[in-house]
Amino acid sequence: MNTFKKILHSHFPSVYYALRDVYQFTRFRFEGSLQSVQLENQQAQSDAEIYRIAEKWIPPHQVKSEILGLIQSIRELQPANFVEIGTANGGTHFLIRRMCPSIRYSVAMDIDIRNKFLIDRLTTTDKVDYLLGESCSPATVRKFSRIYGGEQQG
């Protein structure tokens, strides 16, 4: 990270993240990459094809066999809601939202969530909330309770 980015990130984190999201949107929009990855995503049918898209555009931090095993378990349970604590790049969030059609509502939580723009354009979850904050912070717990209503949704 260059000096300007470090200063901006440390003193004005919300501005830094907003500018980063604008940059990502601009890069995909004007380079034609967004249309390319959307087409690639629409054509992907198998887990292997979808995983390749994630590796290329939104790399997950998990071991491939472990995340694909988790996704299979999630498919069997068919939950309507999904909460991920520690979203980071968003690769796992993308994979679960894309590969588990029963999920209608997802919450992603982390101190910094990257690739929201791309994830939202490649998945069809009905409702998504991105919650910025430390998962152990009382303020974040209160935000989550307000978003989720403090009740199990399904």
Side-chain angles (χ1 to χ4, degrees):
M1 187 181 285
N2 68 33
T3 305
F4 175 73
K5 284 183 183 178
K6 285 180 184 175
I7 292 169
L8 190 61
H9 184 264
S10 64
H11 296 294
F12 306 100
S14 59
V15 172
Y16 171 80
Y17 296 129
L19 289 173
R20 187 197 59 213
D21 289 345
V22 167
Y23 167 75
Q24 185 180 42
F25 168 78
T26 304
R27 189 182 107 209
F28 281 110
R29 194 74 179 141
F30 294 107
E31 290 180 8
S33 298
L34 180 59
Q35 291 80 12
S36 171
V37 72
Q38 284 176 318
L39 179 62
E40 186 179 348
N41 184 54
Q42 289 168 357
Q43 293 172 344
Q45 299 298 313
S46 70
D47 290 355
E49 291 170 327
I50 295 167
Y51 192 86
R52 274 194 296 276
I53 292 168
E55 281 183 315
K56 182 177 178 180
W57 296 98
I58 315 168
H61 291 183
Q62 287 70 26
V63 174
K64 181 179 180 178
S65 61
E66 292 174 357
I67 190 61
L68 293 178
L70 173 64
I71 288 169
Q72 185 57 42
S73 296
I74 292 170
R75 282 183 183 146
E76 291 169 9
L77 293 171
Q78 297 185 344
N81 303 314
F82 162 60
V83 177
E84 181 182 28
I85 299 172
T87 304
N89 286 332
T92 301
H93 207 77
F94 161 72
L95 286 170
I96 291 173
R97 282 177 55 188
R98 174 65 169 81
M99 297 168 95
C100 300
S102 68
I103 295 174
R104 307 301 342 136
Y105 175 49
S106 74
V107 177
M109 182 186 309
D110 208 328
I111 55 173
D112 176 27
I113 301 170
R114 296 175 287 282
N115 299 311
K116 293 180 284 195
F117 169 80
L118 187 55
I119 295 167
D120 287 344
R121 273 132 194 97
L122 299 179
T123 58
T124 57
T125 307
D126 294 339
K127 184 176 184 219
V128 179
D129 285 307
Y130 293 102
L131 183 57
L132 294 178
E134 294 179 3
S135 60
C136 61
S137 157
T140 305
V141 172
R142 283 191 299 276
K143 282 188 221 173
F144 177 77
S145 294
R146 279 195 305 274
I147 289 171
Y148 202 59
E151 300 175 23
Q152 188 172 1
Q153 301 286 316

